[in-house]
């Protein structure tokens, strides 16, 4: 009788344990099916891309993300790249020329190594670009990166890119706030609302001499008011560049990497380590990431230049950051105006791979189909 | 005669009114695209969700045929698939039918997984969220005034949370199109009326 009760309670215990196990299992399964929230998905995607970035061995300006290093070794598929580019075309335009204000840069004509590095840097949050970030996250990996870059390589550059003023230039602009912190809005408090309203009538009008600009200001707010506010107005409208100064600065500071006509560089000799013999594979080069600046939109170059100087563009070449530390606003405007006017030449780019020229040789097994009798073959 | 002129004038006025109204309605939709808003908020502000499935079946490289042999397909059958070289299919069933026409149903059933694995790519399915945009809002059907205020606050830097930085990144591009408050209001009105 005692055994009977013992057995019965044992059975009950097993049933209870089983039931508890099933309940726990169903809770676990239900949790497993629970979809990720948008924030979780975004976080997971960001972590996945960031995980691909290794600690930079030679400064963050070199390609360090695993997917970038892999993409550099792969062969691109132009057709596939064209499909991927439809996403990019919404902002960079189907031509790849970007917009005249340089909010979206020209991609056409850029070296593939540079494009690969910039895309993977944005994906790995090594270059802050909140506008482009979600678009970059649509790329599925190294093969997609090289595919889209191969397609971009087929695009012809803008034959008439927006260049700088190339001399005196005065303009009350609010469209350039992001390029450099001077603007019409900035002087509103200093000149007062009445004057500000009047100055708005010549907003974005470009004047090619200081005399012309002062005349327009006199006509707008009157000589008396101009006298009071001349200094602050001129300071916030001075977009003049000096191409001679730009040439001197370019030749002194930029030629080594961006080369004599802004063609940049996509390959360089492997580094020679002191005390060690030169490598046997002489002539073999390593990827380099010096961008093409020839023909790039002036305001894009100027904006990026200033961002590199203040450290906002984090993935820049550290040597450049040091070199341009003391550049004045006039220096920056002048050197970017000068460099943007260069034109690319034949031989400045890496050679593009040819078509798929392989034959229909489907391997050794195919030989069995040949008409040659087996005993006559090698 | 007088009645004829009156009727003609009335007709022209009505025609003018309706065509202007249409132009305005179309304008806001066009402006939404011109300012690239649709690239982050989806067509007509309906959010970044795939509206159709995109897939491609494409034996574009001879290497793909070699890969089929590597995966265990007999050379004879692989050779029979040569007419499919560089032919693009955007539908899986059509691709399978084309294979069947060349090698028959039995072999298609046997080897279709290998062939599809090598020559096919599914980019996305209808209804998938577009990666990267999981936390970007849909605007279609939202309140006009709310949409207008968000646009203004984000671009003026009063609202700085969420992905507002991404939108401010293109502010010069927006400004360059000489957009007025009325334009923002019209875009808001257009979005609020999208079903």
């Amino acid at each position: 009788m005692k055994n009977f009760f013992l057995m019965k309670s044992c059975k009950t215990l097993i049933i209870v344990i089983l039931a508890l196990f099933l309940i726990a299992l169903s809770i676990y399964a239900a949790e497993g099916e629970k979809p990720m929230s948008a924030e979780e998905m975004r976080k997971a995607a960001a972590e996945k891309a960031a995980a691909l970035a290794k600690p930079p061995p030679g400064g963050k300006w070199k390609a360090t993300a695993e997917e970038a290093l892999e993409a550099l070794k792969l062969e691109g598929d132009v057709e596939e790249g064209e499909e991927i580019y439809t996403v990019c075309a919404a902002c960079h335009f189907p031509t790849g020329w970007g917009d005249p204000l340089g909010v979206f840069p020209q991609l056409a004509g850029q070296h593939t190594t540079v494009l690969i590095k910039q895309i993977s840097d944005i994906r790995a949050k090594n270059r802050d670009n909140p506008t482009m970030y979600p678009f970059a996250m649509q790329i599925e990996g190294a093969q997609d990166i090289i595919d889209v870059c191969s397609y971009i390589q087929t695009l012809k550059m803008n034959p008439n890119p927006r260049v700088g003023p190339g001399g005196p230039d005065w303009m009350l602009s609010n469209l350039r706030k992001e390029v450099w912190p001077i603007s019409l809005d900035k002087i509103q408090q200093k000149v007062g609302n009445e004057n500000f309203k009047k100055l708005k009538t010549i907003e974005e009008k470009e004047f090619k001499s200081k005399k012309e600009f002062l005349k327009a200001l006199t006509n707008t707010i009157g000589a008396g008011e101009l006298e009071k506010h001349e200094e602050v107005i001129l300071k916030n409208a001075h977009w003049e560049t000096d191409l001679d100064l730009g040439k001197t600065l370019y030749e002194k500071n930029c030629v080594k990497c961006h080369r004599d006509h802004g063609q940049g560089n996509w390959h360089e000799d492997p580094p020679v380590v002191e005390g060690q013999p030169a490598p046997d594979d002489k002539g073999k080069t390593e990827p380099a990431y010096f961008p093409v600046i020839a023909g790039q939109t002036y305001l894009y170059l100027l904006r990026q230049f200033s961002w590199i100087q203040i450290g906002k563009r984090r993935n820049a070449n550290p040597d450049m950051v040091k070199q341009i530390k003391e550049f004045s606003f006039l220096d920056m405007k002048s050197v970017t105006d000068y460099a943007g006017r260069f034109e690319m030449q034949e031989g400045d780019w890496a050679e593009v791979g040819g078509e798929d020229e392989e034959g229909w040789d489907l391997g050794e097994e195919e030989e069995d189909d040949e008409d040659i009798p087996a005993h006559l073959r090698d | 005669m007088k009645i004829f002129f009156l009727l003609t004038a009335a007709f022209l006025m009505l025609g003018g009114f309706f065509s202007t109204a249409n132009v305005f309605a179309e304008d806001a939709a066009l402006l939404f695209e011109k300012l690239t808003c649709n690239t982050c908020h989806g067509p007509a502000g309906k959010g970044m969700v795939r509206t159709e499935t995109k897939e491609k079946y494409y034996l574009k490289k001879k290497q793909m045929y070699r890969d089929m042999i590597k995966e265990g397909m007999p050379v004879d059958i692989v050779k029979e698939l040569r007419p499919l070289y560089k032919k693009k299919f955007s539908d899986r069933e059509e691709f399978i039918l084309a294979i069947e026409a060349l090698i028959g149903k039995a072999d298609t059933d046997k080897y279709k997984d290998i062939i599809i694995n090598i020559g096919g790519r599914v980019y996305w399915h209808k209804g998938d969220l577009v990666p990267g945009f999981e936390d970007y809002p849909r605007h279609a059907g939202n309140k006009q005034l709310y949409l207008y205020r968000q646009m203004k606050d984000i671009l003026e830097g009063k609202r700085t949370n969420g992905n507002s930085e991404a939108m401010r990144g293109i502010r010069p591009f927006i400004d360059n199109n000489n957009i007025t408050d009325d334009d923002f209001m019209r875009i808001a009105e257009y979005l609020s009326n999208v079903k």
Side-chain angles (χ1 to χ4, degrees):
Chain A
M1 196 65 177
K2 201 179 172 184
N3 280 347
F4 172 75
F5 278 116
L6 200 65
M7 273 183 68
K8 208 171 177 183
S9 29
C10 267
K11 268 185 188 171
T12 318
L13 193 66
I14 289 166
I15 288 167
V16 168
I17 289 170
L18 267 172
L20 282 173
F21 176 72
L22 282 171
I23 290 166
L25 197 69
S26 61
I27 290 170
Y28 175 76
E31 276 186 354
E33 282 167 14
K34 200 175 146 188
M36 284 169 97
S37 73
E39 189 54 38
E40 283 168 340
M41 284 166 86
R42 190 171 170 80
K43 209 175 157 191
E47 277 170 5
K48 194 179 156 194
L52 291 169
K54 277 182 173 176
K60 279 190 175 180
W61 81 276
K62 283 198 169 187
T64 52
E66 271 182 27
E67 61 179 12
L69 299 174
E70 198 188 330
L72 286 163
K73 292 178 201 155
L74 296 170
E75 197 183 323
D77 181 330
V78 174
E79 270 187 72
E80 194 64 39
E82 189 175 3
E83 294 207 22
I84 298 166
Y85 186 77
T86 52
V87 174
C88 321
C91 295
H92 294 279
F93 294 87
T95 52
W97 294 353
D99 75 300
L101 271 181
V103 178
F104 308 116
Q106 172 166 229
L107 302 178
Q110 190 52 269
H111 293 309
T112 301
T113 52
V114 176
L115 294 170
I116 290 174
K117 174 183 142 52
Q118 297 305 327
I119 292 173
S120 56
D121 272 1
I122 289 168
R123 281 161 66 78
K125 295 205 163 177
N126 192 19
R127 175 177 170 180
D128 303 311
N129 190 333
T131 308
M132 183 168 155
Y133 180 72
F135 296 96
M137 295 311 287
Q138 288 182 50
I139 293 176
E140 280 186 15
Q143 186 62 53
D144 275 8
I145 292 178
I146 186 67
D147 288 349
V148 75
C149 292
S150 300
Y151 173 70
I152 293 169
Q153 211 174 357
T154 67
L155 300 171
K156 299 275 176 245
M157 290 179 82
N158 185 353
N160 299 304
R162 177 76 69 96
V163 293
D169 193 46
W170 301 85
M171 182 170 32
L172 284 167
S173 170
N174 277 327
L175 296 181
R176 300 178 171 201
K177 280 180 196 170
E178 315 289 327
V179 181
W180 193 256
I182 60 172
S183 66
L184 172 58
D185 281 353
K186 215 169 173 200
I187 62 174
Q188 184 172 6
Q189 280 192 330
K190 286 175 185 159
V191 299
N193 283 342
E194 277 306 307
N195 286 330
F196 179 72
K197 270 184 207 164
K198 290 174 187 167
L199 290 172
K200 284 286 265 183
T201 60
I202 55 164
E203 187 181 353
E204 303 302 334
K205 273 191 188 163
E206 208 167 7
F207 297 91
K208 285 295 178 188
S209 77
K210 191 173 176 181
K211 200 178 158 191
E212 244 181 79
F213 184 53
L214 287 172
K215 196 178 160 192
L217 289 174
T218 311
N219 292 339
T220 314
I221 56 172
E225 286 299 303
L226 177 60
E227 204 179 327
K228 272 195 260 172
H229 305 296
E230 186 176 325
E231 196 186 331
V232 71
I233 295 175
L234 291 182
K235 194 185 163 195
N236 276 282
H238 196 189
W239 290 96
E240 179 173 4
T241 67
D242 178 344
L243 291 179
D244 290 335
L245 173 66
K247 185 175 189 289
T248 311
L249 290 168
Y250 187 86
E251 286 169 358
K252 192 179 166 196
N253 297 282
C254 319
V255 168
K256 190 182 160 199
C257 301
H258 293 286
R259 304 179 70 198
D260 64 338
H261 57 272
Q263 72 270 45
N265 203 358
W266 51 272
H267 66 138
E268 61 188 353
D269 293 332
V272 178
V273 184
E274 254 184 71
Q276 282 188 19
D280 290 338
D281 50 352
K282 209 182 170 187
K284 196 180 172 191
T285 57
E286 285 188 358
Y289 309 96
F290 303 108
V292 171
I293 47 180
Q296 183 58 275
T297 318
Y298 164 67
L299 286 177
Y300 176 76
L301 287 178
L302 184 55
R303 185 191 291 110
Q304 296 304 312
F305 204 101
S306 65
W307 285 1
I308 289 170
Q309 192 190 48
I310 61 172
K312 189 175 172 184
R313 182 162 162 168
R314 293 183 292 114
N315 67 343
N317 182 328
D319 293 339
M320 179 171 170
V321 178
K322 266 189 231 159
Q323 220 168 355
I324 67 168
K325 207 175 164 190
E326 303 301 329
F327 270 44
S328 68
F329 182 38
L330 179 65
D331 292 342
M332 288 192 205
K333 285 182 290 183
S334 302
V335 78
T336 47
D337 193 358
Y338 176 74
R341 290 165 187 265
F342 285 129
E343 282 182 24
M344 290 294 275
Q345 296 165 13
E346 285 296 317
D348 286 342
W349 293 282
E351 276 179 31
V352 184
E355 283 282 299
D356 178 16
E357 296 290 349
E358 302 162 273
W360 274 110
D361 173 18
L362 295 177
E364 285 181 7
E365 290 172 61
E366 194 188 21
E367 288 181 6
D368 294 337
D369 290 343
E370 299 290 334
D371 293 327
I372 309 165
H375 68 278
L376 292 177
R377 292 183 205 153
D378 288 336
Chain B
M1 197 64 179
K2 203 175 172 184
I3 291 171
F4 171 76
F5 277 120
L6 274 172
L7 280 172
T8 314
F11 179 74
L12 283 172
M13 278 174 74
L14 272 174
F17 171 76
F18 282 121
S19 62
T20 315
N22 280 338
V23 166
F24 277 148
E26 191 186 33
D27 263 358
L30 284 176
L31 207 51
F32 185 73
E33 286 185 15
K34 190 180 168 189
L35 301 178
T36 68
C37 316
N38 60 321
T39 57
C40 292
H41 299 290
K46 288 181 177 175
M48 295 296 274
V49 178
R50 303 292 187 196
T51 49
E52 55 188 23
T53 297
K54 185 182 174 189
E55 49 192 352
K56 193 166 76 178
Y57 302 90
Y58 187 27
L59 296 171
K60 63 184 165 189
K61 287 183 179 172
K62 290 168 187 168
Q63 182 58 43
M64 289 178 165
Y65 288 77
R66 294 190 189 94
D67 291 344
M68 286 181 214
I69 294 167
K70 271 188 209 158
E71 291 297 318
M73 281 179 65
V75 176
D76 283 351
I77 293 177
V78 172
K79 275 183 172 180
E80 284 178 47
L81 293 173
R82 280 181 188 176
L84 293 184
Y85 179 55
K86 293 217 185 241
K87 273 193 183 165
K88 263 186 219 173
F89 296 84
S90 54
D91 183 271
R92 185 187 159 106
E93 290 312 310
E94 275 179 29
F95 184 58
I96 291 172
L97 284 173
I99 297 170
E100 269 182 25
L102 295 168
I103 63 173
K105 191 167 182 337
D107 282 334
T108 302
D109 288 346
K110 201 170 169 187
Y111 299 117
K112 70 180 176 193
D113 288 347
I114 295 176
I115 305 169
I116 286 170
N117 196 28
I118 289 171
R121 180 174 178 180
V122 177
Y123 293 82
W124 53 72
H125 293 102
K126 188 179 176 181
D128 283 354
L129 288 178
V130 179
F133 290 95
E134 294 86 350
D135 56 352
Y136 277 61
R138 77 191 294 273
H139 295 319
N142 213 334
K143 294 185 185 77
Q144 179 182 350
L145 200 55
Y146 172 78
L147 291 170
Y148 170 77
R149 282 195 180 147
Q150 295 309 309
M151 278 187 246
K152 293 285 293 171
D153 286 356
I154 287 173
L155 290 171
E156 286 170 8
K158 288 178 193 159
R159 181 182 161 177
T160 55
N161 66 338
N163 298 311
S164 58
E165 192 61 38
M167 188 161 152
R168 270 191 301 281
I170 62 158
R171 189 173 61 184
F173 181 76
I174 294 173
D175 291 345
N176 194 34
N177 284 280
N178 300 319
I179 302 303
T180 62
D181 281 1
D182 285 347
D183 292 326
F184 284 128
M185 193 55 105
R186 282 195 300 115
I187 293 174
E189 186 189 6
Y190 155 69
L191 291 171
S192 67
N193 285 320
V194 175
K195 300 291 173 206

